[in-house]
Amino acid sequence: MAKQPQPISPLKNFFAGGFGGVCLVFVGHPLDTIKVRLQTQPKPQPGQAPLYSGTFDCFRKTLVGEGVRGLYRGMAAPIIGVTPMYAVCFFGFGLGKRLQQRKPDDVLTYPQLFAAGMLSGVFTTVIMAPGERIKCLLQIQAATGETKYSGSLDCAKQLYREAGIRGVYKGTVLTLMRDVPASGMYFMTYEWLKNILTPEGKSVSDLSVPRILCAGGLAGIFNWVVAIPPDVLKSRFQTAPEGKYPNGFRDVLRELIREEGVASLYKGFTAVMIRAFPANAACFLGFEVAMKLLNWIAPGV
């Protein structure tokens, strides 16, 4: 295994991760909108066609009906949340790596990298859960033809007024179920691919831009292979009327399996996979560029 850059700095991870997250949202939000609309579209009545026949149909109808702005519906919430969220995510990964090192020059195994990634998923849930709740509600609002929320802040205010902090954090358990194992896979795969793509005799820190993009994009795909089923459950649960699923995700899972089969757990798969590569490639490239800049500005931190 190629040597990892040393020493590991959770603080630098924090700032570089925030920048990487902003890059991810700008590249990936349009297909995230498509994914959520596919996951939450109502079941068609007998003899009726579904609202969207697939990813490209949803993209076309959104673009025709709402323009480019429709594809970026609800982006304010993830943009506001994404900088601290990805900062905390990469900080958690850096901290997880640091905690498992006995000496500063220890090279971690892949299971240790997976564990460090899982820790990052725990860290981000506090920020991620309310942002995801607001984003999903705003993304499906235009598709239903109703305008209950004028924007992210109005949505947050109404949720808090209606159900308190529990209304804002609805879906937290499902966010944890999605992000903890998926984050472990995400970071472990990225580190593994960086090592594989590093030429013999070269340092992993000198990896070229195309190879960083390839490693980051593929890591995003591996992440979503793990994350899609709980993400479908989370989207359904977070956008459902209050009281529809009294037993939480178990009721959502039973309803989906009973009415639409196991394949329903992979709704939005095409949109997710089309989005995963470019969005996460942009994220990791942004992270690596920011990290190099930080190492140049403050090499001893």
Side-chain angles (χ1 to χ4, degrees):
M1 185 188 298
K3 282 237 176 189
Q4 298 164 9
Q6 304 294 338
I8 294 167
S9 172
L11 183 61
K12 287 178 182 176
N13 274 32
F14 179 86
F15 291 108
F19 181 71
V22 172
C23 294
L24 179 144
V25 171
F26 274 109
V27 172
H29 191 80
L31 278 161
D32 186 71
T33 298
I34 302 303
K35 177 205 71 172
V36 170
R37 290 187 177 184
L38 287 170
Q39 290 176 345
T40 57
Q41 66 175 318
K43 185 182 177 184
Q45 297 297 320
Q48 288 185 340
L51 183 60
Y52 307 116
S53 62
T55 299
F56 296 104
D57 181 55
C58 184
F59 181 86
R60 181 183 60 81
K61 287 179 177 176
T62 301
L63 196 59
V64 169
E66 304 168 54
V68 174
R69 289 182 63 184
L71 295 171
Y72 282 91
R73 190 81 59 185
M75 194 178 73
I79 281 289
I80 292 168
V82 81
T83 301
M85 190 271 291
Y86 268 85
V88 168
C89 177
F90 278 85
F91 172 82
F93 179 56
L95 181 62
K97 291 194 291 184
R98 173 73 72 83
L99 290 173
Q100 294 180 90
Q101 285 184 314
R102 294 184 178 181
K103 297 180 296 181
D105 60 347
D106 281 349
V107 178
L108 301 181
T109 64
Y110 292 121
Q112 287 176 314
L113 291 169
F114 187 85
M118 288 198 298
L119 180 63
S120 78
V122 174
F123 272 49
T124 56
T125 296
V126 173
I127 301 172
M128 194 75 167
E132 286 278 300
R133 168 94 153 123
I134 292 165
K135 171 181 71 69
C136 288
L137 287 171
L138 291 173
Q139 284 173 328
I140 68 165
Q141 175 176 262
T144 62
E146 300 175 3
T147 309
K148 183 177 180 181
Y149 310 111
S150 61
S152 299
L153 187 59
D154 180 55
C155 182
K157 286 180 179 177
Q158 289 196 46
L159 289 173
Y160 185 78
R161 187 163 57 244
E162 291 168 4
I165 197 68
R166 291 182 62 185
V168 178
Y169 273 89
K170 182 178 179 180
T172 298
V173 172
L174 279 163
T175 306
L176 273 171
M177 289 173 61
R178 182 192 68 177
D179 288 351
V180 170
S183 294
M185 179 64 74
Y186 186 53
F187 284 108
M188 182 192 72
T189 304
Y190 179 64
E191 296 288 340
W192 169 61
L193 289 167
K194 280 204 304 180
N195 286 325
I196 286 178
L197 293 170
T198 300
E200 191 69 31
K202 297 285 187 179
S203 170
V204 71
S205 61
D206 296 325
L207 210 59
S208 66
V209 168
R211 295 186 182 205
I212 291 171
L213 289 171
C214 180
L218 289 172
I221 288 174
F222 277 92
N223 168 82
W224 278 104
V225 166
V226 174
I228 287 179
D231 186 63
V232 172
L233 299 177
K234 180 195 70 65
S235 294
R236 283 290 183 107
F237 183 67
Q238 287 186 319
T239 58
E242 201 61 40
K244 181 176 181 180
Y245 300 116
N247 297 311
F249 74 90
R250 289 172 295 178
D251 285 350
V252 187
L253 179 61
R254 278 194 289 264
E255 180 185 86
L256 276 172
I257 298 297
R258 182 178 66 249
E259 296 185 359
E260 302 178 46
V262 176
S264 64
L265 293 173
Y266 281 87
K267 273 192 171 183
F269 181 85
T270 303
V272 167
M273 289 304 154
I274 292 173
R275 170 186 181 268
F277 192 96
N280 289 285
C283 176
F284 276 110
L285 180 62
F287 169 78
E288 296 289 357
V289 169
M291 185 63 81
K292 284 190 176 183
L293 181 61
L294 289 169
N295 284 333
W296 178 71
I297 293 172
V301 178

